[in-house]
Amino acid sequence: MKNKLLFLGPPGAGKGTQASIICSNLQLMHLSTGELLRAEVVGDTDIGKQVALIMNKGELVSDEIVLSIVRKKLVNANQAGWLLDGFPRNLLQAKALQTLLDELSQPIQAVVSIEIKDEILIERLISRGRTDDTEEVIRNRLKVYREQTSPLIDFYDQLGMLKAVFGEGDIEDVALRIRKVIE
Ligand code: ADP
């Protein structure tokens, strides 16, 4: 089973849910930049203070902050492997990640792209009720995704790493589809 994974997909695609399942099954480190950033906000740290407003608008936090968080985690990662969820979110982050992973000799083994219709995304996000899940912020997050993150699908496809997975249906069914592509 592959153990250095990256999950791509729009907000609401179920990345976090599926990432947790795969990580607990395969004992991988779950590296969710959204969760790490939310923890900084809750802890009211220096970083948290800098990112709170940006996150609440659905904009992207600065690449510098996100990259330093990810770097720290990956440098200290153990043999079991990792799953990146919510990162990279733009081409600059993706290229910086390639450089970092080259340095660490830990190449990505599969990029799983979770695909889902827009109507379903919005429904799911509205019912989730996080503080950055108001309709206006959701629309902005989807816009940011389309403009900045979705080009990564082509980026990884061209590198021959991309595995597309249909993300609609039961959580367990989607999890099985993901397992198939990371075998
Ligand atoms: P979702 O997948 O539902 O959009 P996340 O939990 O992944 O939510 O991220 C929540 C917020 O955290 C984003 O809207 C953004 O402000 C910030 N964020 C998370 N990851 C990154 C990243 N790699 N680069 C910049 N900002 C990020």
Side-chain angles (χ1 to χ4, degrees):
M1 202 66 86
K2 297 187 166 63
N3 67 4
K4 288 186 257 320
L5 307 174
L6 197 161
F7 276 20
L8 270 184
K15 287 190 304 290
T17 305
Q18 294 297 336
S20 298
I21 295 174
I22 298 287
C23 287
S24 75
N25 288 345
L26 304 182
Q27 313 281 294
L28 307 181
M29 171 171 77
H30 183 182
L31 211 165
S32 158
T33 45
E35 277 182 16
L36 293 167
L37 290 166
R38 276 190 289 282
E40 300 280 348
V41 173
V42 170
D44 202 26
T45 63
D46 284 348
I47 289 179
K49 289 191 181 88
Q50 288 178 60
V51 302
L53 270 177
I54 301 169
M55 291 178 73
N56 267 323
K57 284 193 284 192
E59 301 289 332
L60 296 186
V61 166
S62 81
D63 295 325
E64 197 191 347
I65 290 178
V66 173
L67 280 164
S68 81
I69 291 178
V70 170
R71 171 180 284 274
K72 243 182 261 161
K73 293 279 176 186
L74 285 178
V75 165
N76 294 309
N78 62 21
Q79 295 299 312
W82 38 257
L83 189 163
L84 298 176
D85 160 18
F87 172 90
R89 250 182 166 83
N90 60 30
L91 268 174
L92 189 145
Q93 292 180 9
K95 289 178 182 161
L97 176 65
Q98 292 298 97
T99 307
L100 172 62
L101 295 177
D102 274 352
E103 274 169 33
L104 300 173
S105 305
Q106 292 196 39
I108 297 167
Q109 293 169 337
V111 175
V112 177
S113 167
I114 304 183
E115 301 187 338
I116 198 156
K117 280 197 281 297
D118 271 11
E119 302 96 84
I120 297 182
L121 291 181
I122 298 183
E123 247 170 58
R124 284 191 188 175
L125 289 166
I126 289 173
S127 63
R128 191 163 74 173
R130 222 167 62 191
T131 59
D132 60 344
D133 278 346
T134 63
E135 190 164 344
E136 194 193 346
V137 176
I138 289 169
R139 290 197 187 284
N140 197 36
R141 291 224 308 278
L142 287 172
K143 178 168 173 272
V144 170
Y145 173 79
R146 273 189 213 104
E147 291 175 358
Q148 303 199 45
T149 312
S150 66
L152 300 186
I153 294 177
D154 268 353
F155 176 80
Y156 288 113
D157 197 20
Q158 277 166 19
L159 293 173
M161 297 178 175
L162 197 76
K163 315 269 183 197
V165 168
F166 181 53
E168 294 173 31
D170 291 344
I171 289 175
E172 295 76 24
D173 292 339
V174 178
L176 280 174
R177 288 178 209 137
I178 293 175
R179 275 193 82 102
K180 276 213 185 109
V181 300
I182 61 170
E183 263 168 11

